[in-house]
Amino acid sequence: MFVRAFDPHTKQYYKSMVYALVDSGCFEQAVLYHPGLDSFVLLYHLAPGSMAPQYEAIQSDRAGWVDGPADALALLKAAPTREHGAAPVNSLRGWPEVVADTAFLQALLRTGFVPREKTAIPLRRPADEALWNYVRTQGDADSLMRQFAGFHDATLDRLFYKERYGVRQLTVRFDNPGWCGTLDLCFEGTLALHLEPAGENRSRELLEACLLVRDETVFWADAALTEEDPAACRNHIKALNLKWRKAERT
């Protein structure tokens, strides 16, 4: 499971694998790695006092997760927390090395964070990184734009959207045989899609495009923009994450 999270103290966003989920529903908390603090943190899904999510799903895959054993749950129920007395821990699931480390989880419940140097829990990355190129920074976005000639003369050939709980995935195929070949863009945690196909009297080929990375989101549009402006383009896509790869033309 991979998410975009919000730090309520610095008001900044970051991305993290989810190492475990403590409780569920309105009480759900996630064990995340905060790169700015170089620490593991325990973050409520919904901000206290509001329904605003403090982390949003990019990928929901939980393959390899296990449920916490009963003895661990018993210890966590009795653990003091940073907010009040005993913790209302009714469920625990995550990576085996995390749910088995009761001392680590007790420390998270007590203080809300554990420096990485204080634990042996390894950092994890998305399992499909060997298959896709992840766009994490504006530098990554600029590199893709250079490799694909800024989408000049590219055509949008197909879109496939998939949605279920924790998944809002949009895969878009662009073809540019004269310059760079065929490219698949996979937008995850899709936030917006506006599509205005070319009419009978207009060419399908794009003249230009932009790809912007802001606040751990990505914004693609068929206009040479330097800032996100949906009104200044015909087609645009915004998502929490973007990965891409070359594809075979079909």
Side-chain angles (χ1 to χ4, degrees):
M1 189 173 177
F2 188 39
V3 300
R4 182 185 76 147
F6 178 69
D7 185 329
H9 304 291
T10 65
K11 310 302 182 184
Q12 295 179 327
Y13 292 92
Y14 61 95
K15 287 176 181 171
S16 172
M17 298 295 291
V18 177
Y19 292 80
L21 290 176
V22 178
D23 269 324
S24 60
C26 295
F27 300 103
E28 181 182 283
Q29 300 180 75
V31 179
L32 308 176
Y33 172 69
H34 191 315
L37 301 176
D38 193 21
S39 299
F40 290 95
V41 299
L42 188 63
L43 189 66
Y44 274 104
H45 185 205
L46 303 179
S50 78
M51 294 296 288
Q54 297 192 108
Y55 54 87
E56 300 171 272
I58 294 170
Q59 298 165 7
S60 62
D61 181 21
R62 302 181 190 181
W65 279 26
V66 298
D67 291 330
D71 56 345
L73 278 175
L75 288 172
L76 294 177
K77 283 177 182 287
T81 73
R82 62 193 186 278
E83 294 147 340
H84 42 70
V89 177
N90 294 307
S91 65
L92 171 65
R93 55 216 180 278
W95 293 105
E97 68 273 16
V98 179
V99 301
D101 195 336
T102 307
F104 168 71
L105 294 170
Q106 287 176 317
L108 277 176
L109 286 167
R110 185 171 63 252
T111 65
F113 75 97
V114 173
R116 185 163 62 99
E117 64 185 16
K118 300 294 185 181
T119 178
I121 292 173
L123 296 182
R124 290 182 174 268
R125 301 177 72 88
D128 62 355
E129 279 193 333
L131 303 175
W132 293 87
N133 301 283
Y134 274 68
V135 175
R136 290 188 165 88
T137 66
Q138 187 61 51
D140 294 337
D142 294 342
S143 176
L144 170 58
M145 292 293 286
R146 287 192 297 270
Q147 292 182 61
F148 207 59
F151 288 81
H152 179 71
D153 282 345
T155 57
L156 191 161
D157 279 9
R158 70 178 70 163
L159 301 99
F160 178 76
Y161 180 66
K162 177 170 63 176
E163 179 177 312
R164 61 177 184 271
Y165 180 75
V167 174
R168 301 187 309 276
Q169 184 185 84
L170 175 69
T171 304
V172 186
R173 174 161 293 185
F174 288 95
D175 192 26
N176 195 348
W179 292 77
C180 314
T182 305
L183 191 72
D184 282 342
L185 300 184
C186 182
F187 296 88
E188 298 175 301
T190 304
L191 299 172
L193 166 64
H194 182 265
L195 180 64
E196 185 181 325
E200 290 285 340
N201 61 339
R202 302 182 70 172
S203 170
R204 292 183 58 237
E205 284 76 17
L206 301 177
L207 293 177
E208 56 193 4
C210 68
L211 187 58
L212 307 176
V213 179
R214 303 285 190 273
D215 290 333
E216 299 293 345
T217 66
V218 292
F219 178 82
W220 179 91
D222 61 353
L225 306 177
T226 57
E227 294 297 333
E228 183 179 328
D229 185 2
C233 55
R234 290 175 50 237
N235 300 291
H236 71 267
I237 303 167
K238 184 173 182 178
L240 301 179
N241 194 62
L242 171 63
K243 56 191 181 185
W244 66 273
R245 64 187 177 190
K246 288 290 189 74
E248 294 295 328
R249 193 178 186 192
T250 57

